[in-house]
Amino acid sequence: MNPIDTVNNPVPLVELKGVHRVFGRGESAVHALAGIDLKVEPGEFLAVMGASGSGKSTCMNLIGCLDRPTAGHYSFDGIDVGALSADQLALLRRHRIGFVFQGFNLLPRTTALENVELPLVYQRVGSAERHRRALETLNSLGLLHRAHHTPAELSGGQQQRVAIARALVTQPVLLVADEPTGNLDSSTSQEIMELLTGLNREQGITIVMVTHEEDMAAFASRIVVFVDGRITRDELREGGTSCSGTPS
Amino acid sequence: MFWNTLLMSLRAIQRNALRSFLTILGIVIGVAAVVALLTIGEGAKAQVTKDISALGKNLLSLHSGVSHRPGASLMSARAFNLADVDAIRRDIDGIDHVVPSASARSLVVNSNVNWSTTITGTTADFLPCRGYKLEKGRVFSTAEEASGNLVCLLGATVSKEILDGDEPVGQRIRAGRVSCLVIGVLEAKGQAAMGQDQDDLVLMPIRAFQRRVAGNDDVSPIYLNVSDSWSSTAIKSSVESLMRERRGILPGAEDDFHVRDMQEIASLVQGSASVLTALLSAIAAVSLLVGGIGIMNIMLVSVTERTREIGVRLAIGATSAEVMQQFLVEASVLSGLGGVIGLGLGLGGAALATRGMGMPFLPSPLVATAAFVFSVMVGIVFGFLPARRAAGLNPIEALRHE
């Protein structure tokens, strides 16, 4: 997919309209998101920034279909997420979305290969095909020689690359990354960011990345900044493909 | 998918090999205990049946006195005599052997070796009737039975104790106060069900016994072998009515004798053995319950410990039903494994125990299947709560769990 073509796509991949997310009830209720409008077009690389408690993680969970809005409307690739059941959300994540976490979250004492195969197990892919695709993905990330190592035998950067392979093996349309470099040193962070940028540019994978580091956000094509549950800044950077956010 | 879940749970169990083993220990012990007890119980029952049928095939025995009222009434009842034996022979069909017997405890002496044993006066039919075989020599002849010659047959134990390897046939031994000629030795039969030695006996013709040892005409008990095609219950009642007539018991009055049916005794003993086995197994089954609770415990710990893993699985698209299935399968694979190990240990233990007690080892496929199915069920039942807890986790909170 060429990112340039997607500008003409009539349906944005992610479209939030007046989204609220409230935790708790009554007096103790916390308004984590207080009316968010955000569009992400296919092929964008969006960095979500903000202080802790600003609502950026809540927003990322919503975009990743791990959660549903309390009020407002979220459509993912034209699908109304608010109307889906928990199992339907699981199926949506299974087939369309990949996740990369700050803490890598690889299964311990399980080889890199088995970790990468895991999403395909839930997709009911046969074991030979699973094997082939997992090895192919690991190979494309330069980790073929590490396929049979467990996370404990891998460096942080390698672990994160295995996690990225796990997210990519299902060929998702959206990659959601929660502080992917948060646990890595600066040179490894640089590597991971270059990897993500490459995936975005060359394979056209849409990426939504939460970070609080300016340096990392600088790799994205667009940056939105959250303050107190609202988007206060939405800027397109060099190489950006779209500008659809509406700061409130 | 189920196959994958199974492989996944096997991996999870393998990753925590020691903990998994400790978890299933309760199940292992429970299943082993139940299986061992049931198998040993089966062996004991078979042994009792074998012992009782070794007393004689389809054996009835006719005793004077009342079986359920011991003491005085037993003493006061008249014994039978040889005329009663002839009457049974003459009047009742369907009996292979009618064998009179009368016994007394006495010393037997060969030169300077003493042995206290039971001397039984009877006929040559005693051997087939009670399941004895002749090892060497011969049985009493009709002439010896009729005239009451002082000849005798030795049980294997007696022969060993007093003759100690000497050729018994042709020896003269002293039985009580009389001297008598050994004409044969019986084959060893081994211990009876109640532990007494069936080879500790000396047989002599009943007339000789009555005249020279007992000094009276009494006969008791009379042994009867029911023919194969006849019912022992029917024979028992015809013997009873014949004896009532002969002994002049008025209608409505109680019998002063009783007939024992070995078949009946065998089923009674078997019945009480079954009850005992069931009771012990029920007690052992309590440890299965405890084992199940152990599995639930560890699975709950495991769910807490693997919260992040569950979060990852949910995030990458596992449904809560799939997470539930994973933990249920894990619990039942664990307990099923415990069941298989327990089954092996239980059968092994039972094999050793039955061999030690000289009983037959009778492993039952039913018990094995039931043990396995039951232990898997324990896993499903006690895995349910932890699995439901895992499945109910919110993926966001699970991922944030430290």
Side-chain angles (χ1 to χ4, degrees):
Chain A
M1 210 196 301
N2 184 332
I4 303 301
D5 294 342
T6 60
V7 178
N8 302 322
N9 191 327
V11 187
L13 186 61
V14 166
E15 185 172 22
L16 300 169
K17 276 189 201 155
V19 165
H20 290 255
R21 184 68 176 99
V22 184
F23 294 104
R25 280 165 193 272
E27 299 256 324
S28 60
V30 176
H31 284 71
L33 294 180
I36 299 288
D37 295 292
L38 178 67
K39 276 186 192 169
V40 181
E41 299 295 341
E44 277 194 291
F45 185 167
L46 180 73
V48 178
M49 297 196 67
S52 62
S54 61
K56 62 182 194 299
S57 290
T58 306
C59 184
M60 188 211 67
N61 289 336
L62 277 175
I63 291 173
C65 298
L66 287 164
D67 198 4
R68 275 167 296 199
T70 311
H73 187 84
Y74 170 32
S75 77
F76 176 82
D77 206 8
I79 302 162
D80 181 6
V81 172
L84 298 181
S85 70
D87 282 354
Q88 286 170 318
L89 284 179
L91 291 178
L92 197 60
R93 295 195 297 270
R94 178 185 299 179
H95 292 282
R96 315 289 299 275
I97 303 175
F99 289 89
V100 176
F101 308 97
Q102 177 176 2
F104 320 136
N105 281 339
L106 298 174
L107 300 193
R109 280 164 285 179
T110 306
T111 64
L113 183 63
E114 285 174 299
N115 265 294
V116 175
E117 280 184 32
L118 192 61
L120 299 177
V121 171
Y122 288 112
Q123 283 194 358
R124 315 279 198 276
V125 175
S127 91
E129 169 75 0
R130 217 158 64 203
H131 225 65
R132 190 186 65 72
R133 278 170 65 181
L135 283 173
E136 197 179 280
T137 311
L138 280 171
N139 188 31
S140 72
L141 295 180
L143 281 168
L144 198 56
H145 63 296
R146 290 293 191 202
H148 297 285
H149 290 247
T150 61
E153 298 162 350
L154 299 173
S155 70
Q158 286 171 331
Q159 286 189 53
Q160 192 59 300
R161 276 191 288 163
V162 171
I164 292 171
R166 180 177 65 190
L168 291 178
V169 75
T170 59
Q171 296 169 323
V173 291
L174 175 66
L175 187 67
V176 177
D178 183 8
E179 307 247 16
T181 59
N183 287 12
L184 300 173
D185 63 47
S186 60
S187 72
T188 317
S189 296
Q190 198 78 13
E191 272 173 40
I192 292 294
M193 288 317 298
E194 276 160 14
L195 175 63
L196 290 179
T197 316
L199 288 170
N200 174 249
R201 294 232 176 94
E202 284 145 34
Q203 298 181 33
I205 296 169
T206 312
I207 299 177
V208 173
M209 176 184 77
V210 168
T211 182
H212 61 263
E213 291 172 86
E214 291 280 356
D215 304 353
M216 301 304 136
F219 284 88
S221 60
R222 180 179 158 202
I223 298 175
V224 294
V225 179
F226 277 71
V227 174
D228 291 339
R230 288 168 206 279
I231 293 175
T232 54
R233 213 174 87 201
D234 186 344
E235 81 184 42
L236 209 56
R237 298 178 53 82
E238 96 306 329
T241 50
S242 144
C243 180
S244 46
T246 319
S248 48
Chain B
M1 191 65 202
F2 181 78
W3 181 241
N4 284 321
T5 315
L6 196 68
L7 287 179
M8 230 149 45
S9 47
L10 283 174
R11 286 300 312 268
I13 290 164
Q14 184 201 344
R15 261 181 242 134
N16 283 303
L18 179 65
R19 189 171 75 182
S20 304
F21 174 72
L22 292 175
T23 307
I24 62 177
L25 206 54
I27 298 281
V28 170
I29 292 170
V31 169
V34 173
V35 167
L37 284 171
L38 286 176
T39 310
I40 295 171
E42 274 309 303
K45 248 163 45 178
Q47 183 67 35
V48 167
T49 313
K50 206 182 104 199
D51 285 346
I52 288 175
S53 65
L55 292 176
K57 203 161 121 257
N58 304 334
L59 187 68
L60 297 183
S61 58
L62 179 55
H63 302 258
S64 61
V66 183
S67 65
H68 58 266
R69 212 194 284 156
S73 59
L74 192 96
M75 304 300 287
S76 63
R78 262 185 304 137
F80 304 105
N81 52 42
L82 288 174
D84 292 323
V85 176
D86 291 335
I88 295 172
R89 265 194 204 125
R90 192 174 57 233
D91 293 350
I92 301 176
D93 290 335
I95 302 179
D96 287 345
H97 306 287
V98 181
V99 182
S101 78
S103 305
R105 281 212 71 86
S106 177
L107 274 182
V108 289
V109 184
N110 172 40
S111 58
N112 58 353
V113 191
N114 286 0
W115 183 250
S116 169
T117 185
T118 307
I119 301 181
T120 299
T122 184
T123 61
D125 281 347
F126 184 87
L127 273 67
C129 175
R130 297 288 313 272
Y132 285 94
K133 290 195 186 79
L134 201 59
E135 183 169 325
K136 52 175 78 159
R138 59 177 180 88
V139 297
F140 321 127
S141 68
T142 323
E144 282 162 347
E145 279 176 8
S147 66
N149 281 12
L150 281 167
V151 291
C152 64
L153 297 170
L154 303 184
T157 303
V158 178
S159 164
K160 197 182 95 202
E161 292 294 339
I162 67 170
L163 291 162
D164 192 28
D166 293 352
E167 174 54 45
V169 179
Q171 288 273 356
R172 210 158 251 291
I173 60 163
R174 201 153 60 77
R177 294 182 309 258
V178 299
S179 164
C180 99
L181 178 72
V182 179
I183 57 169
V185 177
L186 304 178
E187 255 179 38
K189 238 175 114 171
Q191 273 195 351
M194 313 304 168
Q196 71 270 49
D197 183 357
Q198 301 182 91
D199 301 315
D200 187 7
L201 82 173
V202 172
L203 302 180
M204 62 171 66
I206 180 126
R207 281 182 199 283
F209 177 85
Q210 287 175 335
R211 224 174 278 155
R212 307 296 298 274
V213 180
N216 57 38
D217 287 345
D218 293 352
V219 172
S220 186
I222 300 170
Y223 293 108
L224 313 168
N225 277 136
V226 179
S227 306
D228 275 341
S229 52
W230 292 71
S231 125
S232 63
T233 329
I235 299 288
K236 185 178 169 185
S237 68
S238 8
V239 169
E240 276 167 353
S241 49
L242 176 68
M243 283 301 133
R244 285 176 72 88
E245 195 189 309
R246 286 185 63 82
R247 292 161 81 87
I249 298 169
L250 297 170
E254 265 192 75
D255 293 349
D256 63 353
F257 64 92
H258 65 275
V259 181
R260 267 191 220 151
D261 184 344
M262 286 305 158
Q263 224 66 36
E264 255 173 53
I265 293 173
S267 53
L268 269 178
V269 174
Q270 279 183 9
S272 50
S274 303
V275 169
L276 199 65
T277 307
L279 188 71
L280 287 172
S281 305
I283 295 169
V286 172
S287 65
L288 276 180
L289 184 76
V290 176
I293 293 169
I295 285 195
M296 178 157 70
N297 234 325
I298 295 294
M299 290 305 290
L300 282 171
V301 171
S302 174
V303 166
T304 311
E305 197 186 78
R306 288 157 70 188
T307 300
R308 276 168 83 92
E309 174 192 330
I310 295 164
V312 172
R313 288 177 185 275
L314 289 169
I316 65 175
T319 61
S320 53
E322 283 163 343
V323 171
M324 176 129 178
Q325 188 195 31
Q326 186 196 338
F327 278 85
L328 271 184
V329 167
E330 219 173 290
S332 37
V333 165
L334 263 181
S335 62
L337 201 66
V340 170
I341 298 173
L343 185 62
L345 287 180
L347 288 179
L352 285 179
T354 48
R355 184 193 289 180
M357 292 186 276
M359 298 188 311
F361 172 57
L362 298 169
S364 142
L366 181 73
V367 168
T369 317
F372 180 69
V373 170
F374 192 79
S375 52
V376 172
M377 294 281 290
V378 165
I380 291 173
V381 169
F382 290 97
F384 182 77
L385 190 70
R388 205 182 52 177
R389 177 174 289 186
L393 287 174
N394 174 319
I396 299 168
E397 281 162 24
L399 281 169
R400 218 180 277 148
H401 185 89
E402 290 302 328

